[in-house]
Amino acid sequence: MQKIAMLGGGFIGRFYAESLHGQRSRDKVIAIYARREETAQKFADDYGCSFWSTNMEEVIAHPDVNMVCIALPNNLHAPAVELCAKHKKNVVCTKPLGRTADEALRMMKMVEEAGIFGGYLEDLCYSPKFLKALDTVKAGSLGRILWAKSRETHPGPHSNWFWDKEQAGGGCMLDLGCHCVEIARNFIGKDIRPVEVMCWAATQVKPIDAEDHAIALVKYENGAIGQFEVSWTFRGGMDLRDEVMGTEGTIWINNFLRTGFEMFTTGKAGDYVAEKAESNAGWLFPVGDEVNDLGYNHMFTDMFKAAEQGREPAETFYDGYVVNAVLDAAYKSARTKQWEPVQLPVWRGKEGVSAGTDLVEYDADHYLIKEEVTHDGRHKVILKEKASGKIVERDLV
């Protein structure tokens, strides 16, 4: 049983608590830290916490706590991890791990040097559809992965600190791009080094210092491409979609917004429909079980089983550090308008991976480019001559 100290009583802390109390049915949030007394008291009342405080160290050091869950603004992640290391308390931290790769690397080293468990709460890498897709990719059903694209867009986050560049460390790219980068890493292979990034980012709508819209390409050492699209300017709710393309197949995932559950209402019954929904009337797209569909249940189950079994979870502080490094390169590219290298002074994956090729031999003299039946009923092949490199076309009988 995990006896959890929740750091942060806001939107994400409450989402986490719903999952923690509902999935394994034996874990319990027993202590809550929040910066405001009224937030801490309300959270304690709602979730039956026996202890609350506006002193973070007091909550982390509580003798009954054996797991700390960080659900705080980005600028408070590192101080919280430092206290967990000081008091030898296992810790799981919401995304992004740090505001920069340097900050994330320091946090990773704190956990490893203290000998405590550290888990990176990247929930969208635990959604049921993602897990099924990842199993399919790992089984080889899509062949060699060439391209992985992830999109997260919505009208903007719930809390004021997200909109403050100093507290958050960035805008929509740090907030949402961290999901997308890690999703692509999983599909391409987390042991494959991301090498460089090309990014466009801009502040198109919101009166803030950080970006509210961004698009980027991430090159990997094996020739694969990761792509992300993120925005705080999208209207209509929260759009979470992933695409994976390989030499033998394709996967499309829609986690939110248009998932097959649609309803119309005049809006008389209730206010809340789904996270980031902009209306409670008209045609709406509810989600069957938000906590589960967003991956929280599977995420905490993996985290706590890993802590209890003495193994690493699927998402570690190291993963959070790599994601931050990719996003650092994206921010630099957005400024320079050039491809920028991903700086990874600590890399624990494969080295010197070359881009793969999948040449299909048609016969001794040709490679196969494509075989098809045309609209007029011809069965034909397009071939490349091995000796000359010439592209030829041949009708089959």
Side-chain angles (χ1 to χ4, degrees):
M1 174 182 178
Q2 299 297 322
K3 296 180 180 179
I4 303 146
M6 183 67 69
L7 308 185
F11 181 83
I12 192 63
R14 286 177 167 271
F15 249 130
Y16 285 169
E18 294 292 331
S19 176
L20 290 166
H21 287 183
Q23 174 70 345
R24 299 205 312 169
S25 300
R26 65 176 184 266
D27 306 307
K28 176 70 176 171
V29 180
I30 64 167
I32 171 68
Y33 158 78
R35 290 167 292 168
R36 296 186 302 167
E37 283 193 7
E38 57 269 32
T39 302
Q41 284 184 310
K42 180 70 164 60
F43 190 103
D45 290 344
D46 289 345
Y47 295 102
C49 301
S50 57
F51 181 76
W52 66 266
S53 177
T54 57
N55 183 307
M56 189 192 300
E57 185 165 10
E58 205 172 59
V59 171
I60 291 171
H62 192 286
D64 293 338
V65 167
N66 63 2
M67 177 69 72
V68 176
C69 181
I70 300 173
L72 294 167
N74 298 344
N75 62 313
L76 298 178
H77 292 185
V81 169
E82 187 172 11
L83 288 172
C84 291
K86 175 182 175 181
H87 292 281
K88 304 292 186 182
K89 296 295 178 80
N90 291 340
V91 58
V92 290
C93 181
T94 193
K95 60 79 196 173
L97 186 60
R99 291 171 294 177
T100 65
D102 285 345
E103 189 171 72
L105 184 57
R106 284 194 293 108
M107 294 163 67
M108 182 185 84
K109 289 179 176 178
M110 288 178 202
V111 165
E112 292 180 352
E113 289 169 6
I116 58 175
F117 176 88
Y120 179 49
L121 298 181
E122 178 41 80
D123 59 288
L124 294 185
C125 290
Y126 287 97
S127 73
K129 291 176 183 176
F130 172 85
L131 293 174
K132 181 71 172 181
L134 187 60
D135 284 345
T136 300
V137 168
K138 287 182 174 180
S141 298
L142 269 61
R144 181 166 58 90
I145 301 303
L146 306 172
W147 174 55
K149 172 185 172 183
S150 185
R151 168 185 173 90
E152 179 170 1
T153 62
H154 57 61
H158 304 283
S159 300
N160 60 343
W161 66 263
F162 282 95
W163 305 93
D164 183 318
K165 189 175 180 180
E166 177 58 30
Q167 291 185 75
C172 67
M173 192 150 58
L174 193 60
D175 178 36
L176 310 179
C178 59
H179 289 303
C180 301
V181 168
E182 188 63 355
I183 286 167
R185 283 189 69 228
N186 271 273
F187 286 130
I188 292 168
K190 290 203 290 186
D191 56 350
I192 304 300
R193 183 193 289 266
V195 291
E196 56 181 347
V197 181
M198 171 62 80
C199 178
W200 167 88
T203 309
Q204 293 188 309
V205 176
K206 308 295 185 181
I208 58 174
D209 295 328
E211 77 288 349
D212 61 16
H213 199 164
I215 300 169
L217 296 175
V218 183
K219 282 186 188 176
Y220 285 78
E221 195 173 32
N222 67 349
I225 286 286
Q227 178 178 344
F228 68 74
E229 303 171 359
V230 294
S231 181
W232 284 346
T233 67
F234 176 79
R235 303 309 302 269
M238 183 159 69
D239 186 13
L240 300 179
R241 282 180 281 164
D242 305 323
E243 299 178 34
V244 194
M245 183 182 77
T247 55
E248 303 298 328
T250 302
I251 291 174
W252 295 344
I253 303 172
N254 191 329
N255 277 312
F256 229 78
L257 192 61
R258 299 301 295 271
T259 63
F261 186 171
E262 303 180 16
M263 63 177 280
F264 177 87
T265 175
T266 58
K268 293 181 178 179
D271 295 326
Y272 186 82
V273 176
E275 184 182 346
K276 308 297 192 306
E278 292 201 89
S279 173
N280 66 337
W283 280 106
L284 305 174
F285 311 105
V287 178
D289 183 347
E290 279 187 77
V291 169
N292 191 64
D293 291 350
L294 285 171
Y296 297 122
N297 288 344
H298 295 289
M299 177 178 71
F300 282 116
T301 296
D302 177 50
M303 292 293 160
F304 295 164
K305 282 185 176 179
E308 292 160 3
Q309 295 168 3
R311 62 170 175 84
E312 285 193 339
E315 295 293 326
T316 66
F317 273 33
Y318 173 75
D319 293 312
Y321 149 69
V322 175
V323 168
N324 271 124
V326 172
L327 293 175
D328 280 0
Y331 276 108
K332 186 173 182 181
S333 174
R335 295 192 301 270
T336 65
K337 306 187 187 310
Q338 299 179 38
W339 285 95
E340 292 291 346
V342 179
Q343 303 293 339
L344 283 167
V346 176
W347 171 247
R348 295 172 178 172
K350 294 177 180 177
E351 296 283 1
V353 178
S354 59
T357 57
D358 294 274
L359 300 180
V360 177
E361 290 209 358
Y362 182 73
D363 56 30
D365 300 318
H366 298 87
Y367 292 116
L368 175 67
I369 294 177
K370 186 180 181 184
E371 183 173 356
E372 65 181 350
V373 177
T374 65
H375 70 285
D376 58 355
R378 286 187 303 139
H379 188 185
K380 71 173 188 179
V381 290
I382 300 174
L383 307 172
K384 179 178 179 178
E385 292 181 351
K386 292 181 181 180
S388 68
K390 183 180 178 181
I391 308 299
V392 298
E393 179 175 314
R394 182 183 299 174
D395 285 344
L396 303 178
V397 178

